[in-house]
Amino acid sequence: MRVLLWHVHGSWTTAFVQGQHEYLVPVVPGRGPEGRGRAQTWDWPASVRELSPTEVRAALDDGAVDVVLLQRPDDVRLLQEWTGRRPGRDVPAVYVEHNAPTGHAARSRHPLADLDTVADGTVPVVHVTAFNRLMWDCGDARTLVVDHGIPDPGHRWTGERPHVAAAVNEPVRRWRVAGTDVLLRVAQDVPLEVYGMGTDLLAPHLESGSPVAAASAARLHDLPQHELHDALAGARAYLHPYRWTSLGLSLLEAMAIGLPVLALPVTEAPVAVPPEAGVLSADPEVLVAAARRWVDEPEEAAAHGKAAREHALTHYPLGRFLDRWTALLTELVDDAPAGRPSSRH
């Protein structure tokens, strides 16, 4: 099949495009949010092809797109503005919801819940975790869960650095949601290294803390994806401080590398991180105590990391993820009204 999708979430898309299909990714000048094109820091296969907005329309006119994968309300708008097509009416479509609700946890109405093609089930809403499906109000939409799948990075953990690593984008702007205050509490007693966009803004917050925290201000990094796994592998453990998020792929990747986990017991984390893989607690002092113990006892950290890797690969295998997506996309294309142009033979 030929699948049209926007490049929204790099790690998720990296897994998705490992499948057997052709992937058409819009690109606009400057590679802004309306069309980022191919990833610049992930390794994507040759089956991912960039199309300009004009080429997107031509591809749909020629029947060279079988199904559209939407991930933002803006994708619906762009599809209609660029091509005149309505998802679910003029072209088979599916909407992937990557995030937990950003408003009231139990009363957030999904932005697509009232779109007619969603409400009648023509465009299903696919959640990446069961927790997200539970919390979003999707009205009468057909909803499914397709759990994440991750390419196996290999067991890379060495743990030679007695530090705890965290991967958090924009930790200052996203303060409480990202659990930045929890991260800073851990940093008071345990050497920390933080990876992600905007981590440099953490420096003054660390420098004003304890001597341990101040020293961590020199370990703030924004690395390309292909360097991140090796960097994480040298840390003793992984801290996932988020209060409210979907299931971050950085967490699953860290587990697959072999890092033991420290996290808050919220959203999907209790499913993703079993007791043998790490420590979950709503009390930051418990996380600090576990981190200090692992810094002093690398053998215990290694054992938890081994269990974390086994759990991640068993519960989030790439093959199962790709098979489930192929089955769903095939169903949507096969159920499309007869007579619609298609590239399938």
Side-chain angles (χ1 to χ4, degrees), residues 42-255:
W42 281 271
D43 184 18
W44 285 5
S47 56
V48 183
R49 184 159 57 94
E50 294 182 343
L51 297 182
S52 70
T54 300
E55 290 170 328
V56 169
R57 177 163 193 145
L60 280 159
D61 288 345
D62 294 342
V65 174
D66 294 302
V67 61
V68 180
L69 189 146
L70 308 161
Q71 301 170 78
R72 307 165 296 183
D74 270 358
D75 294 352
V76 179
R77 174 183 62 81
L78 292 171
L79 179 69
Q80 294 175 327
E81 289 181 359
W82 291 358
T83 73
R85 263 67 170 196
R86 298 166 298 168
R89 290 284 185 264
D90 305 313
V91 61
V94 58
Y95 189 95
V96 182
E97 179 51 69
H98 292 280
N99 301 313
T102 55
H104 189 286
R107 292 199 297 266
S108 289
R109 182 81 166 174
H110 195 276
L112 262 70
D114 300 310
L115 185 71
D116 57 353
T117 52
V118 171
D120 67 12
T122 309
V123 178
V125 177
V126 176
H127 298 276
V128 297
T129 71
F131 179 89
N132 288 2
R133 179 168 69 167
L134 176 70
M135 301 312 293
W136 275 112
D137 175 7
C138 289
D140 295 327
R142 176 190 175 196
T143 61
L144 305 91
V145 176
V146 177
D147 291 315
H148 287 304
I150 54 172
D152 182 3
H155 187 276
R156 305 190 190 192
W157 182 88
T158 60
E160 76 268 16
R161 298 191 302 274
H163 304 161
V164 171
V168 184
N169 284 326
E170 300 187 74
V172 173
R173 181 183 67 81
R174 301 166 65 206
W175 195 269
R176 283 185 59 81
V177 169
T180 302
D181 56 317
V182 176
L183 183 150
L184 292 175
R185 171 62 195 95
V186 174
Q188 291 297 305
D189 290 303
V190 183
L192 192 70
E193 48 193 61
V194 188
Y195 300 86
M197 296 181 292
T199 53
D200 57 305
L201 298 178
L202 273 177
H205 300 280
L206 290 165
E207 289 166 350
S208 64
S210 70
V212 174
S216 296
R219 295 189 290 269
L220 305 175
H221 311 282
D222 183 5
L223 298 180
Q225 185 72 12
H226 66 276
E227 297 179 14
L228 180 59
H229 289 167
D230 283 336
L232 289 175
R236 188 67 49 84
Y238 185 80
L239 172 65
H240 189 67
Y242 292 84
R243 273 190 178 84
W244 188 254
T245 184
S246 187
L247 180 55
L249 280 166
S250 60
L251 169 64
L252 299 182
E253 291 166 357
M255 293 172 67

Side-chain angles (χ1 to χ4, degrees), residues 267-284:
T267 63
E268 193 80 358
V271 175
V273 186
E276 60 272 19
V279 174
L280 300 184
S281 178
D283 184 350

